[in-house]
Amino acid sequence: MLEINILQINQLNEQQIHDIRELENVCKNNDGLKGTVFLSNEINFNLNIDSFYLLYDDTKLMSVLLLFIPTADEAEVSAFTYPTCRKQGYFKALFEKAVAGLKKYEIHKILFAHESCSAGAKHVSESYHAEYSFSEYLLTYHP
């Protein structure tokens, strides 16, 4: 049996960045996603808040949850889980840890950031009874 391990950290090392990018690329290819997540806490209002939650199965990253926290009022959640490992409670485990961490800093508003084509993200948002707030667009300029 493999051992599940959740890391809750405020900075990433090179191996963790590599693992996240690998997982991100698998999910982008599987789900038709186009965006790329920002893997630094340098623009969070408080650099000490854990903003990276990584779930490993032995040494393989299976799921990741990232927090962008630009103000003391709200946090924005992005997450990826290997397509073959979805619906096993990985996101829920990471999200519960993230919410508990945010409560320590009295941050109670959470935004789910996801692309409109992500059926899995829509399902998660609905399961947490999230209300639609606004949309952002991915714009690319090619000179």
Side-chain angles (χ1 to χ4, degrees):
M1 184 171 176
L2 299 175
E3 183 178 328
I4 300 294
N5 181 34
I6 296 177
L7 293 178
Q8 179 177 328
I9 52 181
N10 65 4
Q11 288 186 331
L12 298 168
N13 65 35
E14 289 302 315
Q15 183 62 52
Q16 292 160 341
I17 291 170
H18 176 270
D19 293 347
I20 293 169
R21 289 293 181 217
E22 183 178 283
L23 174 56
E24 177 183 38
N25 286 330
V26 168
C27 292
K28 285 170 72 170
N29 290 332
N30 185 78
D31 301 338
L33 306 175
K34 297 189 179 358
T36 301
V37 292
F38 185 62
L39 297 181
S40 174
N41 70 343
E42 65 191 37
I43 55 177
N44 287 351
F45 87 97
N46 182 333
L47 302 181
N48 296 316
I49 298 176
D50 290 333
S51 50
F52 306 102
Y53 295 79
L54 295 83
L55 187 146
Y56 284 90
D57 198 341
D58 275 343
T59 60
K60 184 170 178 78
L61 181 65
M62 307 306 281
S63 188
V64 62
L65 182 144
L66 313 159
L67 296 175
F68 172 52
I69 317 167
T71 71
D73 298 323
E74 64 187 23
E76 185 174 296
V77 172
S78 298
F80 297 106
T81 299
Y82 265 100
T84 57
C85 298
R86 293 176 182 168
K87 298 188 180 198
Q88 295 182 33
Y90 290 169
F91 173 82
K92 182 178 181 180
L94 294 174
F95 187 65
E96 287 174 357
K97 283 199 172 280
V99 169
L102 292 170
K103 283 183 180 178
K104 292 177 187 174
Y105 293 90
E106 298 185 19
I107 301 170
H108 302 288
K109 184 176 180 182
I110 298 173
L111 303 174
F112 290 103
H114 66 84
E115 294 180 41
S116 61
C117 63
S118 178
K122 285 180 191 175
H123 173 75
V124 167
S125 297
E126 290 169 359
S127 71
Y128 283 99
H129 306 288
E131 296 175 6
Y132 176 80
S133 179
F134 63 91
S135 295
E136 293 181 348
Y137 296 92
L138 179 63
L139 304 173
T140 305
Y141 172 70
H142 299 283

